[in-house]
Structure formats: C-alpha cells, structure tokens
Amino acid sequence: MFRKILIANRGEIALRVICACKELDIATVAVYSEADRNSLHVRFADEAVCIGPARSSESYLNIPHVISAAEITDVEAIHPGYGFLSENANFAEVCEASHINFIGPSPDMLRLMGEKEHARREMAAAGLPIVPGSDGIVGDVDAATAEAARIGYPLIVKASAGGGGRGMRIVRHKEELLPLWETARHEAQQAFGVADVYLEKFIERPRHIEFQVLGDRNGNVLHLGERECSIQRRHQKLVEESPSMALTPKLRADLGRRVVEALKKIGYSNAGTVEFLMDEDGSVYFIEMNARIQVEHPVTEMVTGVDLIKAQIRIAAGEKLDAAVGPIEFRGHSIECRINAEDPDTFVPSAGRITTFQMPGGPGIRVDTAAHADAVIPPFYDSLIAKLIVHGRDRAEAIARMRRALEMFVVEGIKTSLPLHQRILADADFEAGRLDTHFLEHLLPVHAK
C-alpha cells in the first residue's frame, strides 16, 4: 500500500480522497491555489503546497507545479479526482516518468477514451452498440454533406476531443449543416485545441444511463450497476440515481455483461464509467467512456456498499479486484442532487461568502462538501459546492428522504440551486420516473436551454 498520496484537485473531491486515505492510514498532501488557501482540503491534509495563483491554468492545471509539489513532498502516488488533470494522458505520462503512480487508467487508455470517435470505434469492435454515425472524423465540407445524407436528419456534430457539451451542435435540416458544422469545429478548436468533429444520429428524447466499472491490472473487470443521469442542463448533470427505472433485470444483466467483456478486451484498469443513450424504443447506444471517478459516484457507493475511492487506491497499489472491492450487495435506491452556487432561475454563478451552512442529517443522508459557514466561494472554478445524497429501501423512500433533506439544507449568503432541486423532486414526471435529457426544458421552458 502507498505511504503518501498527493491529491491533485480541490473542493469536495479532494476532501473525499483525503477521507479515504485516512481510513487506509495513508498520509496526504493537498495542493492549492492562492484562492483556496483557507479551504478544508488544505486544513485536513497532512501537508499542503501552494501551486500558484487563483487561475486554474496557473495552478491546478499546471503540470510542472503539481509534479514539483509531489517531488518535494516525496509522495508515491497522485490521485487526480475528477476534472482538471484527471483525464490528461500527458499528465499520467509525466507521473510515470517521474516514478509516481497515477491513480487511474494508463496514459494510452486515457488517450484512447479522450478521443471520442476513436473510443466509439474501439468499443464497437469490442461488442458494444453505438449510435449510427460517421466512420471517423469528418474533415471537409464534401465529406460532411455525404455523411449527413447517409445518416439522415436530425443529427449531431460532436467534437472528437469534446466534453461538457462544448463543440456540439444539433442539425435538423440540410440547410443548417455547413454553418453548424463550422461552428462546432471552431468551438472545438477554442475549447480543446483540436477542431476535429464527427457526426452521429441525434436521438430526440434519450435517457442517459451509465455503468460504473472497476478493473485491476490482472485483467479482471466488474461493473457495479448503472446510474440514471437524464436530468441535465446543457449536458451538465444535475440529479443522478441508481438503479435506473428504465432497465429491466434482463437488460441490466445483458448490458452489464457486455460492458465487462468490452473492457476486458481493451485491457481497462481502475475506475471508469461507460455511458449510454437509451432511445424511446428501448435501444441502447454507447456514447463515451469517462476514464476517471465521476462526480456522481456516491449513489453507486450507497447501493453497493463499495468505497470506490479506496478501491481506486488499492487497485493502483497492485491489489487484485476482489480484495480491493470487497463484498458487493445491491440494496435499495439512491439519489444525488448537485448543489451549485448559482441562481436557481437564471443559472448565473453566485460567488461570495457563505453566512449560514446547515446540512441535513438523519437516516440515509450523506453530504459530500468542502463548504462551511464563513467559507468564501471563489468565482474561478466550477460552481458545485455540495452533493446531497440519500438512500432508501426503494425509490419512493429515497424521493421522500431527498425532499425532506432539501427542505432542511440551509445555505445563506450566496444563491444556490436548492430551490431548483426542490422543484424537480416535486414534479409528477420525476416521481413517476418519466425522464429524458430534455426534462429541465419542460420544467423550466424559459431558462433551461
């Protein structure tokens, strides 16, 4: 087992990794920007190193600064959390070259999954169903026109190196293709430094379903069930739950088996999430794989009893999968609400000082956060300030528990998305499980788009 780990992240996920390390008796090193000097992850780590100014490009995304912090504190491994450098193949390679264990997949696997179109082809070859689309990058106008005619409308233009909804445009008519294709290419270039795009069939009202997986370095892979992540705004998830009401036991078993077989074929190790879209007719298509721990990993932990962060660390330290994971028992239903520091009506970020922070408690309630009363939410980073997670014997109890917890969660001094989550949980369609990725557009038709 590792003696000391550096956490190359901030906020709640940095604190979450520190908690796992404490339970494993592993010393921790926090890195922080000047804006995060007084943050809880800095306070609770055994050591802390300032790696630069508030701007993430000069701190949390600055690979030389992170590696320097790791070297001067003599760590054996780096946990990247999610976001920032977590899926950066170059960073993983630098860790290897510096003789530091990267707690995640190999650089080659990160590179493969980071190129969405390459990942799509690889997973199709490994046996997963994919959305009909272009055979590779669409590099010029003639190719785009020909591929669009073959696929049919509506279709979606996607950045090959994309994520978070950037470099994506929906094309409903032939006349829109070329201008939207150019727009997506330009946005992809600006966001990712690569203008490559490909085309896919656009599914009008899909559900977003993902499978949590773990693999060790001995070729063993398992899945820990699925999560329903259909409630989104601009491709950013707001509410997640496990299990999904859309999957029958037969479909769950079949899809889970195919996911495990596919990842064994490509030699995947550590934690990852295989993401699918489900069409209205029940057809399921692979869209991408996130080669890291997910924001929404706690709902899987709640229904399986598996500590995914500890499993990541154990696998990276060389343990076999069974020992790293322990017993798995699927039990009950879990829901997570991402509480963001933003106006619940306009979605404008709300930075500032928190004057009151009262978290809910009671049976089946978990809050993952690094926020507290008198904490300052800086304007430089993602607006997520807390994840409220509940567990119930079934979905009805989980919904009732989440409604109660949202009502008892008090945050003052800044605006938060708590009122929006209360609206979602009170909605009849949500209660009935009638979900798709356009749910919020119907709930908030003016602002959701």
Side-chain angles (χ1 to χ4, degrees):
M1 183 52 67
F2 300 123
R3 173 181 46 82
K4 186 189 290 188
I5 289 175
L6 180 143
I7 299 101
N9 217 297
R10 65 179 298 277
E12 68 86 15
I13 188 59
L15 203 56
R16 172 72 183 87
V17 177
I18 289 171
C19 290
C21 288
K22 285 183 179 293
E23 293 182 16
L24 292 170
D25 196 27
I26 299 171
T28 54
V29 177
V31 293
Y32 63 94
S33 71
E34 292 173 359
D36 282 336
R37 185 174 298 275
N38 297 314
S39 296
L40 287 185
H41 77 285
V42 176
R43 175 176 178 177
F44 289 120
D46 296 295
E47 300 174 64
V49 180
C50 182
I51 55 171
R55 191 184 299 274
S56 58
S57 61
E58 299 177 52
S59 52
Y60 297 108
L61 289 172
N62 190 312
I63 293 176
H65 287 192
V66 174
I67 294 296
S68 293
E71 289 178 338
I72 64 173
T73 54
D74 192 28
V75 303
E76 294 168 290
I78 292 178
H79 195 301
Y82 54 72
F84 292 131
L85 297 171
S86 63
E87 295 179 281
N88 189 306
N90 293 332
F91 177 58
E93 282 183 339
V94 173
C95 288
E96 283 190 358
S98 303
H99 306 290
I100 299 169
N101 288 277
F102 177 81
I103 301 176
S106 67
D108 288 344
M109 193 61 63
L110 287 171
R111 193 164 283 115
L112 171 63
M113 292 305 163
E115 293 286 342
K116 305 304 181 186
E117 174 53 25
H118 292 168
R120 187 171 172 269
R121 290 205 304 269
E122 190 75 21
M123 295 303 249
L128 291 183
I130 62 170
V131 181
S134 59
D135 184 20
I137 303 302
V138 179
D140 57 52
V141 170
D142 291 340
T145 303
E147 285 296 307
R150 183 181 64 83
I151 297 166
Y153 296 91
L155 56 83
I156 185 166
V157 185
K158 282 188 173 182
S160 179
R166 291 171 293 181
M168 295 172 60
R169 288 295 183 275
I170 299 167
V171 183
R172 297 190 177 277
H173 307 287
K174 181 179 179 179
E175 299 75 26
E176 299 174 339
L177 175 63
L178 296 185
L180 292 178
W181 178 74
E182 287 288 2
T183 300
R185 282 172 52 82
H186 176 75
E187 189 173 290
Q189 180 67 49
Q190 294 297 312
F192 311 112
V194 179
D196 293 342
V197 297
Y198 61 99
L199 307 183
E200 273 185 356
K201 170 189 173 184
F202 178 65
I203 302 173
E204 289 283 1
R205 302 181 64 83
R207 298 178 83 116
H208 188 133
I209 294 169
E210 60 187 32
F211 273 75
Q212 175 68 57
V213 297
L214 287 170
D216 64 20
R217 295 177 177 176
N218 300 292
N220 302 304
V221 178
L222 61 78
H223 78 82
L224 292 98
E226 83 284 355
R227 298 185 287 255
E228 171 90 49
C229 306
S230 297
I231 298 182
Q232 307 175 4
R233 176 178 178 268
R234 294 182 177 175
H235 306 283
Q236 297 294 318
K237 301 164 188 172
L238 295 176
V239 178
E240 301 96 358
E241 57 183 303
S242 181
S244 168
M245 293 185 68
L247 266 61
T248 64
K250 183 179 183 302
L251 179 56
R252 178 177 296 112
D254 178 61
L255 199 54
R257 174 185 56 77
R258 295 175 73 177
V259 165
V260 168
E261 289 176 355
L263 295 189
K264 284 183 177 179
K265 286 180 181 177
I266 66 173
Y268 191 87
S269 67
N270 216 267
T273 302
V274 183
E275 307 208 355
F276 297 90
L277 292 182
M278 174 181 276
D279 209 337
E280 291 177 274
D281 66 3
S283 299
V284 179
Y285 303 104
F286 168 81
I287 51 170
E288 65 179 353
M289 182 172 185
N290 288 312
R292 54 172 167 79
I293 198 71
Q294 293 277 87
V295 176
E296 60 272 20
H297 76 272
V299 294
T300 297
E301 294 182 327
M302 297 290 264
V303 297
T304 63
V306 174
D307 186 320
L308 289 169
I309 305 298
K310 286 165 71 172
Q312 279 191 292
I313 294 169
R314 289 180 183 275
I315 288 168
E319 290 190 17
K320 291 186 177 180
L321 195 57
D322 288 347
V325 174
I328 302 171
E329 180 184 357
F330 291 94
R331 183 178 61 87
H333 198 97
S334 182
I335 303 173
E336 173 181 295
C337 289
R338 299 189 189 189
I339 311 304
N340 296 321
E342 60 188 25
D343 188 292
D345 296 316
T346 65
F347 301 100
V348 173
S350 178
R353 186 177 299 276
I354 297 174
T355 56
T356 302
F357 194 80
Q358 177 62 45
M359 294 184 290
I365 304 294
R366 167 179 167 180
V367 182
D368 283 16
T369 185
H372 57 89
D374 210 37
V376 175
I377 305 302
F380 311 108
Y381 314 113
D382 185 87
S383 61
L384 179 70
I385 59 168
K387 300 184 314 199
L388 175 59
I389 311 106
V390 304
H391 182 266
R393 290 173 296 180
D394 51 30
R395 190 171 188 266
E397 183 173 73
I399 289 174
R401 199 158 269 173
M402 180 61 83
R403 287 171 177 167
R404 185 263 295 176
L406 287 167
E407 184 181 349
M408 299 179 73
F409 203 149
V410 181
V411 183
E412 296 176 346
I414 60 171
K415 294 181 179 181
T416 75
S417 58
L418 282 167
L420 171 61
H421 287 290
Q422 288 179 302
R423 289 188 64 178
I424 293 171
L425 267 289
D427 186 81
D429 284 336
F430 177 84
E431 187 170 12
R434 293 188 291 267
L435 308 177
D436 60 58
T437 57
H438 301 287
F439 177 92
L440 212 61
E441 295 172 20
H442 299 291
L443 186 70
L444 305 171
V446 176
H447 299 297
K449 296 180 182 180

